[in-house]
Amino acid sequence: ECGKIGNVHNTTLVAGSFAFPLSAFPFRMSYLEVLILAVVQGLTEFLPVSSSGHLVVVNAVLDALDKAPTKDLLEVSITLHLGTLASVLVYYRREIARLFGEDWKVLPMLVLGTIPAVIVGLGIKKGLSESAADAVLENVLLAGLMFPVTAVMLVWAFRQKQGEQPYQRVTWRQALLIGAAQALAILPGISRSGATIAAGIGVGLDRQSASTFAFLLAIPAILGAGLLETLEVIEQGANTPLPVLAVG
């Protein structure tokens, strides 16, 4: 996530009218590396294969190839998720608009379903040291072990009988169960969309409704994580130059 200019070892990073010596940043990352991670994020976000897990693995590959892996993968991952959030907002714009009209009863269910992820996310972020949190959230071995778990969830969901309940009639118990699946997906290698869609199918939603509710549920979770990371950057500064993050 940090700053070499396109693999050319410059001494200064220029952003607008400001010039920053690269030595001011503890770690170097080129635009190419962040673009690679951005492409991986874009390709995997809408597939039930765990985009965060693939970011962890690709970052480790960059390290093995002697490229510049990101120093703070969580910071880059959240930033990239904010980028893909824009596409979610566009794709589900009609469903989102109906949340403020005829489907208003879904809003409190989305809030309720977000609570488990907030509890787990804040527990890891604030309850653990930075090194301990990184050991969990950026663990390549853990990501590799969790990929098969995602596969088992998807196979299980595929074999379930088709439900008939629309997402507009989600109950508070169903919302909490789907939210718990989303919280589990904080672990690298567990697909957030795969886990929440499988949970939605498991509680009786029809497949389209399970998918729609899963992605609507992602909106407050990603926005919340983005807000938390933004506040941390304002307070402590970014590990990555903002122009590099903006490219991603």
Side-chain angles (χ1 to χ4, degrees), residues 124-135:
I124 292 176
K125 187 77 173 176
K126 301 299 184 182
L128 300 178
S129 66
E130 183 177 351
S131 59
D134 290 346

Side-chain angles (χ1 to χ4, degrees), residues 97-230:
R98 287 200 294 269
L99 291 176
F100 301 95
E102 58 190 281
D103 293 344
W104 66 270
K105 291 183 179 180
V106 178
L107 274 176
M109 297 301 104
L110 292 174
V111 172
L112 194 62
T114 303
I115 292 176
V118 171
I119 293 173
V120 174
L122 285 178
I124 292 176
K125 187 77 173 176
K126 301 299 184 182
L128 300 178
S129 66
E130 183 177 351
S131 59
D134 290 346
V136 174
L137 301 177
E138 301 178 13
N139 190 306
V140 180
L141 177 60
L142 181 60
L145 292 174
M146 292 299 104
F147 283 138
V149 175
T150 292
V152 169
M153 286 192 297
L154 295 176
V155 171
W156 176 85
F158 180 78
R159 293 182 175 179
Q160 296 306 297
K161 182 180 179 181
Q162 170 76 298
E164 298 181 354
Q165 181 182 342
Y167 73 90
Q168 291 89 342
R169 289 169 44 205
V170 166
T171 67
W172 68 269
R173 288 186 179 86
Q174 291 172 324
L176 279 177
L177 285 172
I178 298 172
Q182 178 168 258
L184 177 66
I186 288 176
L187 296 176
I190 298 290
S191 167
R192 192 210 60 80
S193 60
T196 50
I197 290 172
I201 292 173
V203 299
L205 299 184
D206 67 76
R207 296 183 187 277
Q208 182 59 49
S209 286
S211 177
T212 299
F213 190 82
F215 280 101
L216 291 177
L217 191 62
I219 296 172
I222 295 175
L223 282 176
L227 176 60
L228 187 65
E229 190 65 34
T230 299

Side-chain angles (χ1 to χ4, degrees), residues 6-39:
N7 279 331
V8 178
H9 292 265
N10 296 321
T11 60
T12 303
L13 171 66
V14 178
S17 59
F18 298 95
F20 304 94
L22 284 175
S23 59
F25 297 101
F27 203 82
R28 293 184 174 185
M29 184 182 192
S30 74
Y31 287 113
L32 176 60
E33 276 80 53
V34 81
L35 277 173
I36 291 172
L37 294 176
V39 169

